[in-house]
Amino acid sequence: MASRLNQLSERIRVLPFAVLDQFNKLAMEKVEVNDGGIGGLSYDNPNALITTQTIRLDTLPAYDRLYPKSESMKKSLKISVNRKQDQSILDPEDLGKEYVDEITKAIGNESAQISESLLYHQPIHFLKIDVEGFEVPALRSAAKLFENQLVENTVLEFGPPKRWDVTVPGAAGMDINVVRNKTMKDAKEILHRAVDEWGLNICLLPAEGWEKTVRFMLDHGVDNSGGDPSKNKVVRKVLAWDFDDLPKDNDEFEKELESKYNIVTEFIPLPPHLIDDYLDSSPSIGEMYLWFTKKKSTSSVLQKIV
C-alpha cells in the first residue's frame, strides 16, 4: 500500500519505519496481510513474523532525500530506473546509504546522534500523530522539531491512560498500578515540557470525553469569557477563513461550513496549572484529542477564534 501511495503524487512519501523515541527493531502486531486494519508495535514478541525499524520523528530524512530533484542527489541515492518513474520508497536503502548506515548503527544506542546534514529541517504546518498508545514516546521523538519551532500545529489522541500500557516493556508481567504510575508520570512530564520548553499551547478537541472535559474545567474555575455573559466560559471556536482569495465553489464542503456558521471546530484551552489534575482525571474522562499550537504563532488558522 505504501508503495502505491508514493506513486500517486510527488507530494506523498510513506516511509518504511515506525516512530519511537529510540532506534530499535520491534515486532509489528495485529497487522493485516491485505490493506487496512490497525497495527501496533510490541516489545513482547521477539519472534514476530513482521518487524520494523523505529526512528525518531526529529530524524526524518532530509527533504532532498524524500523528493530528490538534482542529478547529484539521484546519483547519490543510486535511484534505479524504476524509482525515477514512480518515486517509490520501498526500503530504507531508497533514502541513501549514508542515512541507512547511521540509523542502523543507532539501534540500541539511546545517545545516538544522526548527522544534521541528513535530516529534515523544513517547517511543518500540520503534524498528525496516530500511534495507537505510543503518543508520549512519539512526542519525545519530535523534541528537536519542537525545540526549533518547526511544527505549527500538532494533533494527537491522548488517553485514557490504559492505552499507554503497551509502551512499557514487559507490562504484561507487571502490576498494573506500577505500569499506570509510570505512564502517567511520563505523560505529565511531556505535556509540561511542551509548554515550558517548546513554547506550545495545549488545547483539547472534541472526542469521547468532551462533555466531561467541559465539566472538569467549570469545576476548576476556568473562565475564558473575560466577564462577557454572552461568551462561553470554557469552549472556544475556530472559524473558517478565506485563504486563497478565490471565488466560492459552492461545493459540499462550503455548504457544510455555512450550515455550521463557518465553525471549523470547537476547542478548550488546557491551562498549564491544570495539566496534572486533568491527567489524573483522564481515566474517568475518557478519550480526548490534543492540539498543540506555537505560542508565538502567526498562523492564519489562529486568526479567527471566538
Side-chain angles (χ1 to χ4, degrees):
M1 182 177 181
S3 63
R4 295 207 300 276
L5 285 172
N6 284 331
Q7 293 168 26
L8 287 176
S9 170
E10 290 191 359
R11 298 185 180 185
I12 296 176
R13 291 294 177 268
V14 181
L15 303 182
F17 307 111
V19 171
L20 202 61
D21 54 346
Q22 55 190 291
F23 298 91
N24 213 328
K25 282 278 190 181
L26 291 183
M28 292 289 292
E29 292 190 333
K30 301 177 183 177
V31 178
E32 306 245 349
V33 175
N34 298 315
D35 294 344
I38 299 176
L41 296 174
S42 172
Y43 288 102
D44 301 324
N45 190 1
N47 300 315
L49 182 62
I50 300 176
T51 61
T52 185
Q53 169 145 6
T54 63
I55 65 170
R56 295 174 56 91
L57 276 172
D58 55 18
T59 61
L60 288 171
Y63 187 88
D64 58 357
R65 291 179 178 271
L66 297 172
Y67 305 93
K69 298 297 182 184
S70 69
E71 289 304 316
S72 60
M73 179 54 70
K74 291 177 181 179
K75 185 176 180 180
S76 170
L77 297 181
K78 299 180 180 178
I79 294 175
S80 67
V81 174
N82 288 336
R83 191 183 163 199
K84 285 182 181 178
Q85 294 173 352
D86 63 29
Q87 298 296 303
S88 296
I89 298 177
L90 297 176
D91 300 297
E93 287 73 16
D94 289 326
L95 297 164
K97 184 178 184 302
E98 303 95 331
Y99 181 77
V100 173
D101 285 349
E102 291 210 20
I103 64 172
T104 301
K105 290 177 183 177
I107 292 176
N109 182 358
E110 294 186 6
S111 61
Q113 299 291 322
I114 307 300
S115 300
E116 288 293 323
S117 61
L118 300 174
L119 303 182
Y120 190 93
H121 295 292
Q122 274 69 25
I124 298 170
H125 177 71
F126 182 81
L127 175 61
K128 173 66 166 70
I129 296 175
D130 187 354
V131 286
E132 298 302 316
F134 282 80
E135 293 80 20
V136 171
L139 288 172
R140 278 199 295 254
S141 83
K144 290 183 180 178
L145 297 177
F146 291 127
E147 288 169 3
N148 293 325
Q149 295 285 288
L150 289 176
V151 186
E152 195 70 48
N153 298 278
T154 305
V155 172
L156 67 155
E157 187 177 350
F158 208 78
K162 63 183 180 182
R163 69 183 276 112
W164 303 327
D165 294 351
V166 295
T167 66
V168 179
M174 297 170 62
D175 182 290
I176 193 62
N177 292 317
V178 173
V179 173
R180 298 275 167 88
N181 286 339
K182 178 186 183 333
T183 57
M184 180 62 75
K185 178 183 177 183
D186 291 344
K188 290 177 179 178
E189 180 183 278
I190 202 69
L191 294 195
H192 282 293
R193 190 176 177 189
V195 173
D196 300 334
E197 297 182 23
W198 300 338
L200 303 176
N201 289 318
I202 303 176
C203 300
L204 302 153
L205 296 173
E208 175 188 75
W210 181 253
E211 297 300 328
K212 291 182 179 179
T213 295
V214 172
R215 174 48 52 192
F216 171 90
M217 295 298 171
L218 291 172
D219 290 344
H220 286 76
V222 170
D223 186 351
N224 296 319
S225 69
D228 185 341
S230 67
K231 292 184 177 180
N232 192 297
K233 290 184 177 181
V234 173
V235 179
R236 304 192 71 183
K237 300 171 183 177
V238 177
L239 301 183
W241 74 101
D242 183 4
F243 60 87
D244 57 13
D245 295 320
L246 295 176
K248 286 191 174 183
D249 295 320
N250 292 316
D251 56 15
E252 291 184 9
F253 176 73
E254 289 181 347
K255 290 177 181 178
E256 182 178 359
L257 270 179
E258 289 177 2
S259 71
K260 294 180 178 180
Y261 305 99
N262 280 334
I263 297 173
V264 176
T265 186
E266 296 179 319
F267 70 94
I268 298 172
L270 177 59
H273 72 278
L274 289 181
I275 287 175
D276 289 0
D277 288 343
Y278 184 74
L279 288 181
D280 286 337
S281 299
S282 62
S284 61
I285 289 174
E287 172 193 281
M288 284 298 294
Y289 278 82
L290 301 187
W291 173 27
F292 295 164
T293 62
K294 294 195 297 188
K295 290 180 181 178
K296 297 181 179 180
S297 175
T298 58
S299 170
S300 41
V301 173
L302 303 176
Q303 302 311 305
K304 283 200 170 185
I305 290 179
V306 295

